[in-house]
Amino acid sequence: MTNFSGKRFCIFYTSGCVAPALGGIMAGAVISRLEGARGIPGWRWLLLIEGVVTVACGFGLYFVLPDYPRNSKMLTPEQRLLGHVRIMHDQSASVQPEEDNLTPFQAVAATLKDGRTWLFLALYTCNILGLTISYFIPTMLKGLGYTSVTAQWMTVPIWACGAVFQLFWSWTSDKTQDRRWHITGLLS
């Protein structure tokens, strides 16, 4: 991979922190302003608005996003060529010649014997467990005595800090050209 790929992947994955932060802002605004409007509870308004925006963006982005640099109308011919060359370079750098031809059973057995597989499994499990708590942050804050609207607003700084931390971590990963320990740190 090239020395700036960590930053690019992180910008993509930072959307996982930015979206809930924006969702908290939107939820706080919708619930506080539309609660009881037309006899509909605020949470239903929120569900309706988020659903309509998601479907509209999905259909709109289908026509806007390119599937490959070669056929992007937003790029100049030089940029298209550069994007294509970088993708081909990354693919050739990541393909390693196989020394042994393993049968599928041997490959599974080798994977199960590798301690890194089990370490990754443990880290991934911790990551998923950590992510599930994020769904309940507004409920936990409400249990602490905050109103529903205030609880929604209070989720924004949590996600904003996460986005900043992810961007900083990717910058240091690109700077040091170390992926293993940076990914391990983010997952743990």
mmCIF file of all heavy atoms in Angstrom, residues 21-45:
data_model
loop_
_atom_site.group_PDB
_atom_site.id
_atom_site.type_symbol
_atom_site.label_atom_id
_atom_site.label_comp_id
_atom_site.label_asym_id
_atom_site.label_seq_id
_atom_site.Cartn_x
_atom_site.Cartn_y
_atom_site.Cartn_z
ATOM 1 N N ALA A 21 -22.653 11.500 15.189
ATOM 2 C CA ALA A 21 -22.595 12.859 15.734
ATOM 3 C C ALA A 21 -23.640 13.741 15.051
ATOM 4 O O ALA A 21 -24.400 14.459 15.720
ATOM 5 C CB ALA A 21 -21.197 13.453 15.554
ATOM 6 N N LEU A 22 -23.699 13.665 13.741
ATOM 7 C CA LEU A 22 -24.718 14.440 13.017
ATOM 8 C C LEU A 22 -26.116 13.918 13.335
ATOM 9 O O LEU A 22 -27.072 14.695 13.414
ATOM 10 C CB LEU A 22 -24.455 14.379 11.514
ATOM 11 C CG LEU A 22 -23.157 15.050 11.045
ATOM 12 C CD1 LEU A 22 -22.968 14.837 9.551
ATOM 13 C CD2 LEU A 22 -23.145 16.519 11.381
ATOM 14 N N GLY A 23 -26.222 12.598 13.519
ATOM 15 C CA GLY A 23 -27.505 12.016 13.895
ATOM 16 C C GLY A 23 -27.974 12.514 15.245
ATOM 17 O O GLY A 23 -29.168 12.735 15.457
ATOM 18 N N GLY A 24 -27.037 12.698 16.188
ATOM 19 C CA GLY A 24 -27.397 13.240 17.493
ATOM 20 C C GLY A 24 -27.897 14.665 17.397
ATOM 21 O O GLY A 24 -28.870 15.055 18.065
ATOM 22 N N ILE A 25 -27.243 15.452 16.553
ATOM 23 C CA ILE A 25 -27.696 16.830 16.340
ATOM 24 C C ILE A 25 -29.091 16.828 15.723
ATOM 25 O O ILE A 25 -29.993 17.551 16.167
ATOM 26 C CB ILE A 25 -26.700 17.597 15.436
ATOM 27 C CG1 ILE A 25 -25.364 17.780 16.157
ATOM 28 C CG2 ILE A 25 -27.274 18.941 15.009
ATOM 29 C CD1 ILE A 25 -24.253 18.312 15.265
ATOM 30 N N MET A 26 -29.256 16.004 14.695
ATOM 31 C CA MET A 26 -30.548 15.949 14.022
ATOM 32 C C MET A 26 -31.633 15.411 14.950
ATOM 33 O O MET A 26 -32.746 15.944 14.987
ATOM 34 C CB MET A 26 -30.442 15.059 12.781
ATOM 35 C CG MET A 26 -31.671 15.071 11.911
ATOM 36 S SD MET A 26 -31.297 14.265 10.354
ATOM 37 C CE MET A 26 -32.590 13.077 10.337
ATOM 38 N N ALA A 27 -31.316 14.382 15.720
ATOM 39 C CA ALA A 27 -32.311 13.808 16.633
ATOM 40 C C ALA A 27 -32.724 14.826 17.684
ATOM 41 O O ALA A 27 -33.921 14.966 17.986
ATOM 42 C CB ALA A 27 -31.743 12.554 17.299
ATOM 43 N N GLY A 28 -31.754 15.534 18.235
ATOM 44 C CA GLY A 28 -32.092 16.558 19.226
ATOM 45 C C GLY A 28 -32.980 17.636 18.648
ATOM 46 O O GLY A 28 -33.958 18.073 19.272
ATOM 47 N N ALA A 29 -32.651 18.075 17.429
ATOM 48 C CA ALA A 29 -33.439 19.131 16.801
ATOM 49 C C ALA A 29 -34.843 18.649 16.437
ATOM 50 O O ALA A 29 -35.835 19.344 16.695
ATOM 51 C CB ALA A 29 -32.719 19.645 15.555
ATOM 52 N N VAL A 30 -34.944 17.485 15.843
ATOM 53 C CA VAL A 30 -36.247 16.973 15.405
ATOM 54 C C VAL A 30 -37.143 16.692 16.602
ATOM 55 O O VAL A 30 -38.319 17.087 16.624
ATOM 56 C CB VAL A 30 -36.074 15.706 14.529
ATOM 57 C CG1 VAL A 30 -37.394 15.003 14.306
ATOM 58 C CG2 VAL A 30 -35.450 16.073 13.186
ATOM 59 N N ILE A 31 -36.616 16.010 17.600
ATOM 60 C CA ILE A 31 -37.449 15.656 18.751
ATOM 61 C C ILE A 31 -37.891 16.912 19.503
ATOM 62 O O ILE A 31 -39.045 17.017 19.925
ATOM 63 C CB ILE A 31 -36.704 14.670 19.674
ATOM 64 C CG1 ILE A 31 -36.577 13.320 18.966
ATOM 65 C CG2 ILE A 31 -37.427 14.501 20.999
ATOM 66 C CD1 ILE A 31 -35.721 12.320 19.696
ATOM 67 N N SER A 32 -37.002 17.888 19.634
ATOM 68 C CA SER A 32 -37.382 19.089 20.388
ATOM 69 C C SER A 32 -38.362 19.965 19.620
ATOM 70 O O SER A 32 -39.210 20.620 20.219
ATOM 71 C CB SER A 32 -36.141 19.903 20.754
ATOM 72 O OG SER A 32 -35.530 20.440 19.598
ATOM 73 N N ARG A 33 -38.266 20.007 18.306
ATOM 74 C CA ARG A 33 -39.106 20.918 17.521
ATOM 75 C C ARG A 33 -40.419 20.271 17.040
ATOM 76 O O ARG A 33 -41.403 20.954 16.851
ATOM 77 C CB ARG A 33 -38.340 21.414 16.307
ATOM 78 C CG ARG A 33 -37.058 22.139 16.602
ATOM 79 C CD ARG A 33 -37.249 23.636 16.625
ATOM 80 N NE ARG A 33 -36.036 24.409 16.593
ATOM 81 C CZ ARG A 33 -35.183 24.550 17.589
ATOM 82 N NH1 ARG A 33 -35.359 23.882 18.691
ATOM 83 N NH2 ARG A 33 -34.137 25.329 17.486
ATOM 84 N N LEU A 34 -40.389 18.964 16.782
ATOM 85 C CA LEU A 34 -41.557 18.336 16.167
ATOM 86 C C LEU A 34 -42.338 17.424 17.110
ATOM 87 O O LEU A 34 -43.257 16.737 16.657
ATOM 88 C CB LEU A 34 -41.123 17.531 14.925
ATOM 89 C CG LEU A 34 -40.591 18.359 13.754
ATOM 90 C CD1 LEU A 34 -40.130 17.444 12.630
ATOM 91 C CD2 LEU A 34 -41.635 19.331 13.252
ATOM 92 N N GLU A 35 -42.001 17.397 18.372
ATOM 93 C CA GLU A 35 -42.719 16.559 19.332
ATOM 94 C C GLU A 35 -44.198 16.961 19.356
ATOM 95 O O GLU A 35 -44.535 18.097 19.666
ATOM 96 C CB GLU A 35 -42.111 16.691 20.730
ATOM 97 C CG GLU A 35 -42.797 15.868 21.792
ATOM 98 C CD GLU A 35 -42.684 14.371 21.561
ATOM 99 O OE1 GLU A 35 -41.595 13.910 21.183
ATOM 100 O OE2 GLU A 35 -43.693 13.681 21.745
ATOM 101 N N GLY A 36 -45.060 16.048 18.977
ATOM 102 C CA GLY A 36 -46.497 16.288 18.997
ATOM 103 C C GLY A 36 -47.049 17.026 17.794
ATOM 104 O O GLY A 36 -48.269 17.239 17.701
ATOM 105 N N ALA A 37 -46.200 17.427 16.858
ATOM 106 C CA ALA A 37 -46.683 18.120 15.660
ATOM 107 C C ALA A 37 -47.571 17.172 14.857
ATOM 108 O O ALA A 37 -47.213 16.014 14.628
ATOM 109 C CB ALA A 37 -45.512 18.603 14.805
ATOM 110 N N ARG A 38 -48.749 17.653 14.472
ATOM 111 C CA ARG A 38 -49.738 16.868 13.736
ATOM 112 C C ARG A 38 -50.121 15.586 14.476
ATOM 113 O O ARG A 38 -50.480 14.580 13.870
ATOM 114 C CB ARG A 38 -49.258 16.550 12.322
ATOM 115 C CG ARG A 38 -49.034 17.780 11.477
ATOM 116 C CD ARG A 38 -48.756 17.381 10.048
ATOM 117 N NE ARG A 38 -48.511 18.540 9.249
ATOM 118 C CZ ARG A 38 -49.433 19.143 8.488
ATOM 119 N NH1 ARG A 38 -50.654 18.691 8.444
ATOM 120 N NH2 ARG A 38 -49.114 20.198 7.773
ATOM 121 N N GLY A 39 -49.954 15.595 15.777
ATOM 122 C CA GLY A 39 -50.327 14.457 16.596
ATOM 123 C C GLY A 39 -49.364 13.281 16.515
ATOM 124 O O GLY A 39 -49.696 12.172 16.925
ATOM 125 N N ILE A 40 -48.165 13.521 15.984
ATOM 126 C CA ILE A 40 -47.176 12.452 15.815
ATOM 127 C C ILE A 40 -46.058 12.657 16.832
ATOM 128 O O ILE A 40 -45.513 13.758 16.950
ATOM 129 C CB ILE A 40 -46.604 12.464 14.376
ATOM 130 C CG1 ILE A 40 -47.739 12.265 13.355
ATOM 131 C CG2 ILE A 40 -45.535 11.398 14.208
ATOM 132 C CD1 ILE A 40 -47.299 12.424 11.915
ATOM 133 N N PRO A 41 -45.672 11.603 17.561
ATOM 134 C CA PRO A 41 -44.566 11.732 18.518
ATOM 135 C C PRO A 41 -43.250 12.079 17.818
ATOM 136 O O PRO A 41 -43.048 11.755 16.633
ATOM 137 C CB PRO A 41 -44.462 10.355 19.169
ATOM 138 C CG PRO A 41 -45.729 9.655 18.842
ATOM 139 C CD PRO A 41 -46.269 10.271 17.588
ATOM 140 N N GLY A 42 -42.336 12.721 18.549
ATOM 141 C CA GLY A 42 -41.060 13.160 17.977
ATOM 142 C C GLY A 42 -40.221 12.024 17.429
ATOM 143 O O GLY A 42 -39.569 12.166 16.393
ATOM 144 N N TRP A 43 -40.237 10.866 18.102
ATOM 145 C CA TRP A 43 -39.420 9.757 17.622
ATOM 146 C C TRP A 43 -39.903 9.242 16.274
ATOM 147 O O TRP A 43 -39.113 8.794 15.446
ATOM 148 C CB TRP A 43 -39.355 8.630 18.660
ATOM 149 C CG TRP A 43 -40.648 7.903 18.878
ATOM 150 C CD1 TRP A 43 -41.602 8.188 19.797
ATOM 151 C CD2 TRP A 43 -41.122 6.775 18.141
ATOM 152 N NE1 TRP A 43 -42.656 7.309 19.697
ATOM 153 C CE2 TRP A 43 -42.382 6.424 18.685
ATOM 154 C CE3 TRP A 43 -40.623 6.020 17.094
ATOM 155 C CZ2 TRP A 43 -43.134 5.355 18.208
ATOM 156 C CZ3 TRP A 43 -41.370 4.961 16.625
ATOM 157 C CH2 TRP A 43 -42.608 4.639 17.184
ATOM 158 N N ARG A 44 -41.220 9.360 16.022
ATOM 159 C CA ARG A 44 -41.728 8.930 14.708
ATOM 160 C C ARG A 44 -41.323 9.920 13.623
ATOM 161 O O ARG A 44 -41.025 9.526 12.492
ATOM 162 C CB ARG A 44 -43.242 8.773 14.753
ATOM 163 C CG ARG A 44 -43.667 7.539 15.487
ATOM 164 C CD ARG A 44 -45.135 7.286 15.315
ATOM 165 N NE ARG A 44 -45.494 6.037 15.965
ATOM 166 C CZ ARG A 44 -46.711 5.563 15.996
ATOM 167 N NH1 ARG A 44 -47.705 6.223 15.432
ATOM 168 N NH2 ARG A 44 -46.959 4.420 16.595
ATOM 169 N N TRP A 45 -41.338 11.203 13.972
ATOM 170 C CA TRP A 45 -40.858 12.204 13.023
ATOM 171 C C TRP A 45 -39.392 11.930 12.676
ATOM 172 O O TRP A 45 -38.996 11.999 11.514
ATOM 173 C CB TRP A 45 -40.991 13.616 13.591
ATOM 174 C CG TRP A 45 -42.347 14.209 13.458
ATOM 175 C CD1 TRP A 45 -43.232 14.484 14.456
ATOM 176 C CD2 TRP A 45 -42.980 14.622 12.237
ATOM 177 N NE1 TRP A 45 -44.376 15.033 13.941
ATOM 178 C CE2 TRP A 45 -44.251 15.132 12.577
ATOM 179 C CE3 TRP A 45 -42.608 14.610 10.893
ATOM 180 C CZ2 TRP A 45 -45.137 15.627 11.625
ATOM 181 C CZ3 TRP A 45 -43.481 15.106 9.949
ATOM 182 C CH2 TRP A 45 -44.734 15.598 10.311
#
